[in-house]
Amino acid sequence: KQEVTQIPAALSVPEGENLVLNCSFTDSAIYNLQWFRQDPGKGLTSLLLIQSSQREQTSGRLNASLDKSSGRSTLYIAASQPGDSATYLCAVRFQGGSEKLVFGKGTKLTVNP
Amino acid sequence: DTAVSQTPKYLVTQMGNDKSIKCEQNLGHDTMYWYKQDSKKFLKIMFSYNNKELIINETVPNRFSPKSPDKAHLNLHINSLELGDSAVYFCASKSGNAISPLHFGNGTRLTVT
């Protein structure tokens, strides 16, 4: 069964700290992996998309890595700010002919000022 | 504004009623989706349409019927609403390019009483 798991479910850090969010997936045969941010009462905003051939993607203070062989991805957030507080979701498009994304349950991040 | 927009934002209704949620995207995307986010925040795909054709239909009760009048619109009609249908329903779209990310609407919070 193709599943995506995110640990921890919640994380609270002081402002300025660097942090890592983890995502693991059960099948290494993937097309791509995407990290999203969800704010309360809002939809999801795409942060980074990593193709299966790539090892990492960077956007500003965000860096996402991908290790297909071990079925893991990390989202690194540098110099965290209170505005980074949100739920971060990892989603994987597995190979097999379907276009659907399989989502993890997310990590709720709180950055305290 | 270029976006995925869905209406209504909130929908409160009684068991047994029939209701519809509308979604429109002006991004020129070929593929549109409906996702359901349950009370535990778990996001799961329901349907996907590509150029008005159904391409993904997960194990969703046939009380749920998507309708795509054109590739910019994907509406969701729900018959005989049940308490368990209460959730947030998200519309999303993406282009046919394999490396393009998914764009989400802000969601419709459905409450069945």
Side-chain angles (χ1 to χ4, degrees):
Chain A
K1 188 178 179 184
Q2 294 168 335
E3 294 182 342
V4 178
T5 304
Q6 291 185 249
I7 296 172
L11 181 64
S12 182
V13 300
E15 182 177 3
E17 195 162 292
N18 302 326
L19 59 100
V20 174
L21 306 180
N22 296 295
C23 173
S24 60
F25 43 95
T26 51
D27 185 350
S28 61
I30 70 170
Y31 278 120
N32 56 50
L33 182 144
Q34 203 164 344
W35 282 94
F36 292 88
R37 168 186 173 138
Q38 185 175 25
D39 292 284
K42 300 282 188 181
L44 281 69
T45 301
S46 178
L47 298 172
L48 290 162
L49 185 152
I50 310 178
Q51 297 297 324
S52 62
S53 57
Q54 297 174 321
R55 294 299 300 267
E56 65 177 352
Q57 282 284 342
T58 298
S59 176
R61 294 182 293 109
L62 305 180
N63 176 279
S65 69
L66 174 64
D67 184 344
K68 273 195 311 180
S69 60
S70 65
R72 294 180 190 277
S73 175
T74 61
L75 179 67
Y76 174 83
I77 303 177
S80 58
Q81 302 170 357
D84 295 330
S85 298
T87 297
Y88 290 81
L89 293 111
C90 170
V92 175
R93 182 181 166 196
F94 291 98
Q95 292 186 14
S98 171
E99 283 227 24
K100 71 177 184 182
L101 286 180
V102 178
F103 280 82
K105 293 187 178 181
T107 294
K108 184 175 181 180
L109 173 66
T110 303
V111 181
N112 300 302
Chain B
D1 287 346
T2 55
V4 179
S5 56
Q6 49 183 116
T7 55
K9 187 174 174 64
Y10 300 98
L11 186 53
V12 181
T13 188
Q14 291 184 325
M15 282 176 57
N17 285 347
D18 303 337
K19 290 293 178 185
S20 292
I21 307 172
K22 295 185 177 181
C23 178
E24 174 182 5
Q25 54 92 7
N26 60 5
L27 298 164
H29 289 166
D30 299 315
T31 308
M32 296 184 72
Y33 305 81
W34 278 108
Y35 279 84
K36 178 181 179 181
Q37 190 172 43
D38 60 25
S39 57
K40 296 182 180 178
K41 307 296 185 186
F42 192 39
L43 200 63
K44 193 170 181 183
I45 192 168
M46 301 174 68
F47 300 104
S48 173
Y49 270 72
N50 183 276
N51 282 321
K52 303 193 298 175
E53 284 192 31
L54 180 68
I55 56 171
I56 296 174
N57 183 348
E58 292 293 289
T59 49
V60 176
N62 58 15
R63 298 182 295 104
F64 290 78
S65 52
K67 293 275 192 308
S68 182
D70 55 62
K71 75 172 193 176
H73 295 83
L74 180 62
N75 304 322
L76 184 65
H77 188 76
I78 316 170
N79 289 328
S80 304
L81 278 155
E82 300 178 356
L83 293 176
D85 297 332
S86 296
V88 181
Y89 292 83
F90 286 99
C91 179
S93 72
K94 74 182 288 292
S95 77
N97 187 326
I99 65 171
S100 70
L102 203 55
H103 294 256
F104 279 83
N106 284 337
T108 296
R109 181 174 293 277
L110 171 65
T111 303
V112 182
T113 61

